[in-house]
Amino acid sequence: MSQEREQEFRPVNQVLGSQPSLGPIPADQILPWTVIALASYFIINGIFGGIFQEEFQKWLWTILMTGWGIGTWWILTGGRSWSFLSKFIGVPAWTRGFARYQSLLEVNHEAKNRKTKRQHRRKRK
């Protein structure tokens, strides 16, 4: 009987359906967080580097700006990244329309056809 029960249940891989991560950091956030950290480092140390008198102040502001940027990015894109980022994808505007044919050689092509048709009808009567 125990062999029958073992055959009833199938082993399931626990990793199926889960999001890849490096510890607590989701894998899809690593590249944006790196860009945010590098940008904040270059902004604080490159552009505003002369404002701070001590090295400690530079690193403090770099860490604060990086934390603020990463926190904002994670709130906007974490979990369901498509819900925020899909707002920036341009959706094509499909319309139905029919253009009238206009000959390049004869601009008044329809008017000529109407005149010739009317003349033939009058002659037949």
Side-chain angles (χ1 to χ4, degrees), residues 18-34 73-74 77-79 81:
S18 65
Q19 184 179 10
S21 63
L22 293 173
I25 302 172
D28 62 341
Q29 299 287 331
I30 292 173
L31 182 64
W33 288 8
T34 305
W73 183 258
W74 201 357
T77 63
S81 60

Side-chain angles (χ1 to χ4, degrees), residues 32-49 52 57-71:
W33 288 8
T34 305
V35 171
I36 291 169
L38 290 174
S40 64
Y41 175 78
F42 287 123
I43 289 171
I44 297 297
N45 290 314
I47 297 172
F48 299 114
F52 305 109
Q57 289 178 341
K58 287 182 186 179
W59 282 108
L60 177 67
W61 280 103
T62 303
I63 291 170
L64 289 174
M65 189 172 167
T66 301
W68 172 74
I70 287 174

Side-chain angles (χ1 to χ4, degrees), residues 4-5 9-10 12 16 18 21 28-29 33 41 44 50 55 66 74-75 82 84 87 92-93 97 123-125:
E4 292 175 8
R5 279 200 161 177
F9 299 107
R10 294 182 185 172
V12 177
L16 290 176
S18 65
S21 63
D28 62 341
Q29 299 287 331
W33 288 8
Y41 175 78
I44 297 297
E55 194 70 24
T66 301
W74 201 357
I75 288 170
W82 53 266
F84 175 72
K87 295 177 184 177
K123 289 180 181 179
R124 289 183 183 172
K125 287 184 179 180

Side-chain angles (χ1 to χ4, degrees), residues 33-119:
W33 288 8
T34 305
V35 171
I36 291 169
L38 290 174
S40 64
Y41 175 78
F42 287 123
I43 289 171
I44 297 297
N45 290 314
I47 297 172
F48 299 114
I51 295 174
F52 305 109
Q53 296 171 356
E54 297 179 15
E55 194 70 24
F56 173 75
Q57 289 178 341
K58 287 182 186 179
W59 282 108
L60 177 67
W61 280 103
T62 303
I63 291 170
L64 289 174
M65 189 172 167
T66 301
W68 172 74
I70 287 174
T72 303
W73 183 258
W74 201 357
I75 288 170
L76 292 176
T77 63
R80 298 181 299 162
S81 60
W82 53 266
S83 65
F84 175 72
L85 296 176
S86 65
K87 295 177 184 177
F88 300 110
I89 298 172
V91 179
W94 294 95
T95 57
R96 258 190 193 186
F98 298 98
R100 296 187 81 174
Y101 174 75
Q102 188 173 8
S103 174
L104 296 175
L105 301 175
E106 295 182 34
V107 177
N108 228 354
H109 185 70
E110 277 188 31
K112 283 187 176 182
N113 280 345
R114 287 182 185 158
K115 287 180 184 177
T116 56
K117 287 179 184 176
R118 287 182 184 164
Q119 288 175 358

